[in-house]
Every structure is written in C-alpha cells, then in structure tokens.
Amino acid sequence: MRQPLIAGNWKMNKTATEGQALARAIREGLQTQTVEVVLCPPFTAIPAVHAVLQGSSIRLGAQNVHWEDAGAFTGEISPVMLKEWCQYVIIGHSERRQYFHEDDEMIRRKVLAALRHGLIPILCVGETLAQREAGETGTVVATQTRRALEGLSPEQAAGLVIAYEPVWAIGTGRAATGADAEEVIQRWVRGTLEELFGPEVARRVRVLYGGSVTPENIAEFVCRPTIDGALVGGASLKAETFLGIIHETARAKA
Ligand code: PGA
C-alpha cells in the first residue's frame, strides 16, 4: 500500500518568519495521520520551519539541490547540507527546466546525488501546451522519466516520488482533468517505470499530480487509485487551502 502524500511547493514565497507562521498553522490544523504531508519552503526558511515541525509527523523538503557534495559552485546548495534538515527534495520542476535551463542530464545527476545522501527525490515531469497540442504528451513524459532515472537500481527507484505536472496547468487555474492525469500517469509514468525496473517498482513508486490543485478539485485526482496525492503550489501558501487539500485527500483515500 502506498501512503498518500501532499507536498506544498512554496516556490520563492515566504520569509523565515512568515514560513514559521504558516507551518505552525498547518501543524495546528492537521487532523489526519493517513496522509503524509511535506512542506517545501525556500532554503532560507528551512531551519525556521524545521524548528516549528519538531515532534510532528510533517516532513520537510527543499525545492532544488546541486549534484556535487561540495565545491566551487557559487549560489548552490548540496545534498549534504540539505540532509541535516530535509527528507525530500523537488528535482526538475518545470520552472527550473524553463528559467534555469536544467536539462535531463542535470536532473539525472541531481536524482542520483539526492539518493546517495538518503534524500527522497520528488521528480517532476510534464509536457508544455505546445507539446500537448502536437500530440507529444506521452513521448515527453516517458522520455523525461527515463532520462532522469537511467542508471538507478530497482531498489533506489522504488523509493522515489514522481510528480506529473503538465506545464500548462501550473499556476494557471486550469488543472488537467482527473481522467487525463490518470491516463498519463498510468500509461507513461508507471509504464516507463515498468519498462525500466519491472512491475513491482512501477507499483511501489508514489506518483502525484500537480498543476492548479485546490480543495475543490483535489478529490477528482486522488479518487483514482494510480494517483497518490498532489504537489501543490499556490494553494499551499495558505493554511486553510492546504489543509483543505490534505483533508479531502484523506477522505477520498479512506
Ligand atoms: P500550482 O503549482 O499549484 O500553483 O499550479 C504547482 C507546482 O508548480 O508544483
């Protein structure tokens, strides 16, 4: 059985002080043990949020990581630094691919580096609107998944989290339909995992949907057995909406 997971990607929002207040409100409002909850603040807020989460079941994640352990990489953060604070790290988010020119090879190295230090990657994959309209969704998602995971052992792959996030659905208020997300995840994400690592790994990996998730539409996704939860951006910045998504997920998966 895969435990449902809701992860909040705060992106470049919240100071340490603001992050602490948000994390405290989420901790105090959380009413379920069945859904795993992960907060991904910006780097500067991670220690403050960590302090607020002490003794709770809520986990911490970072939004990016470098592939080297240390060295002359100005402005970067290594997995060795993160593992003092975090259990998870988002890798290959479409905003990193688009604005910071991360390619599949960089993403593959980041996944390996995270795993080497016991961090769980939340690997993001997804097609752009142009790719969807050209009928390339399946190829794009399968290729991104394959290239990010080449060289992993089945044991390493089994511990991963993958987020299917169609780029056109991120921050647009225009979510995919549940049926669309289900089809892409089952056929192209789990299908590729099965090709690479076999059916057991394809069943064990947790796969999330991301892109304009709200308390109102989350059930549409998590009512489907192949979708284990969500990676939430905008709606994770308010305790009320983020808690709504978590509690709807607990209800739908019960
Ligand atoms: P959104 O972002 O929920 O604001 O669409 C999702 C994401 O980028 O992970």
Side-chain angles (χ1 to χ4, degrees):
M1 271 303 287
R2 303 185 300 261
Q3 188 184 12
L5 191 162
I6 298 292
N9 174 11
W10 295 2
K11 308 193 180 183
M12 198 173 72
N13 296 289
K14 305 294 176 187
T15 63
T17 312
E18 292 166 347
Q20 218 163 12
L22 176 57
R24 190 174 294 119
I26 292 167
R27 178 178 183 163
E28 285 168 0
L30 187 64
Q31 284 170 7
T32 173
Q33 298 293 327
T34 59
V35 177
E36 184 173 8
V37 177
V38 180
L39 306 185
C40 303
F43 291 127
T44 48
I46 286 176
V49 170
H50 184 270
V52 167
L53 299 182
Q54 286 282 340
S56 91
S57 61
I58 301 175
R59 306 296 196 93
L60 255 177
Q63 299 173 17
N64 184 24
V65 65
H66 196 264
W67 56 79
E68 295 289 343
D69 291 357
F73 299 99
T74 301
E76 292 293 315
I77 302 283
S78 88
V80 180
M81 299 165 182
L82 288 181
K83 76 174 174 188
E84 291 191 348
W85 306 100
C86 298
Q87 294 81 34
Y88 287 87
V89 58
I90 298 170
I91 296 178
H93 190 278
S94 64
E95 287 151 19
R96 303 258 2 134
R97 295 180 193 254
Q98 185 182 349
Y99 304 131
F100 303 99
H101 310 295
E102 288 193 14
D103 60 25
D104 290 327
E105 174 57 16
M106 290 159 79
I107 290 163
R108 189 184 70 83
R109 292 166 78 176
K110 290 179 178 209
V111 168
L112 282 170
L115 289 169
R116 192 165 65 235
H117 293 289
L119 291 163
I120 302 174
I122 302 176
L123 169 69
C124 301
V125 298
E127 83 286 1
T128 63
L129 186 58
Q131 289 165 334
R132 167 156 292 241
E133 285 172 349
E136 295 167 1
T137 299
T139 334
V140 169
V141 169
T143 305
Q144 287 178 347
T145 306
R146 177 176 297 106
R147 292 207 179 133
L149 304 182
E150 259 160 4
L152 263 61
S153 68
E155 294 69 33
Q156 286 177 312
L160 285 173
V161 175
I162 299 182
Y164 166 57
E165 301 203 303
V167 178
W168 46 270
I170 295 176
T172 58
R174 187 182 153 211
T177 65
D180 266 353
E182 176 180 50
E183 144 105 22
V184 176
I185 288 172
Q186 189 58 34
R187 182 146 172 225
W188 301 106
V189 178
R190 293 199 192 279
T192 304
L193 290 170
E194 181 162 349
E195 268 174 39
L196 290 171
F197 306 109
E200 167 73 16
V201 170
R203 266 195 305 273
R204 277 176 57 192
V205 170
R206 288 188 290 178
V207 185
L208 314 178
Y209 166 76
S212 298
V213 168
T214 65
E216 291 72 36
N217 67 17
I218 182 68
E220 159 82 358
F221 299 100
V222 292
C223 69
R224 298 162 199 271
T226 197
I227 306 181
D228 299 306
L231 180 56
V232 184
S236 73
L237 296 175
K238 287 208 179 94
E240 191 191 345
T241 45
F242 192 57
L243 287 164
I245 289 168
I246 295 164
H247 295 144
E248 284 297 322
T249 300
R251 223 188 317 273
K253 292 293 190 193

